[in-house]
Amino acid sequence: MTYRAHPSGITLTAADATIVKGMLARGDRQHDIAAWYGVNGGRIGEISTGQTFARVEIASTDKLPPPGPYVTGRDAAITIQALETARMAIDQAEALLKRNV
């Protein structure tokens, strides 16, 4: 039995491709660029080789996101959980202060 994940539904636009080309020109790794957009690295490779979006311009450096590597999904989930815990602690502290005022 073969299992294949469902498509993400994420597609790169011409505007995205200009940024991708700028990131490639800056020297970013294709893996990091793919992570930034949440796509398979092959899509970045297709842009890199001109297989797709061959005619789009390269974005200027002021239009580019910061260079990678980027936060992983796992690290993002851990961070969100920590922020939720901190928010609850802050809410409890504020409630305690309001009761004592």
Side-chain angles (χ1 to χ4, degrees):
M1 176 192 302
T2 302
Y3 175 77
R4 185 176 179 110
H6 296 286
S8 69
I10 300 171
T11 56
L12 296 174
T13 65
D16 295 330
T18 64
I19 304 285
V20 168
K21 286 185 174 187
M23 294 171 81
L24 288 166
R26 178 174 66 190
D28 291 21
R29 298 181 310 165
Q30 289 185 14
H31 173 84
D32 290 334
I33 300 169
W36 177 260
Y37 282 100
V39 297
N40 180 289
R43 303 304 69 81
I44 305 306
E46 291 169 354
I47 294 171
S48 174
T49 62
Q51 184 178 350
T52 58
F53 299 108
R55 292 193 173 102
V56 299
E57 298 293 322
I58 297 173
S60 59
T61 56
D62 63 316
K63 304 286 189 223
L64 304 180
Y70 303 105
V71 175
T72 65
R74 179 174 163 261
D75 289 341
I78 291 168
T79 302
I80 289 168
Q81 180 60 47
L83 289 169
E84 288 171 353
T85 301
R87 179 76 255 169
M88 288 187 335
I90 291 168
D91 289 345
Q92 290 171 353
E94 286 177 340
L96 181 62
L97 287 172
K98 288 178 183 177
R99 277 194 309 221
N100 292 325
V101 172

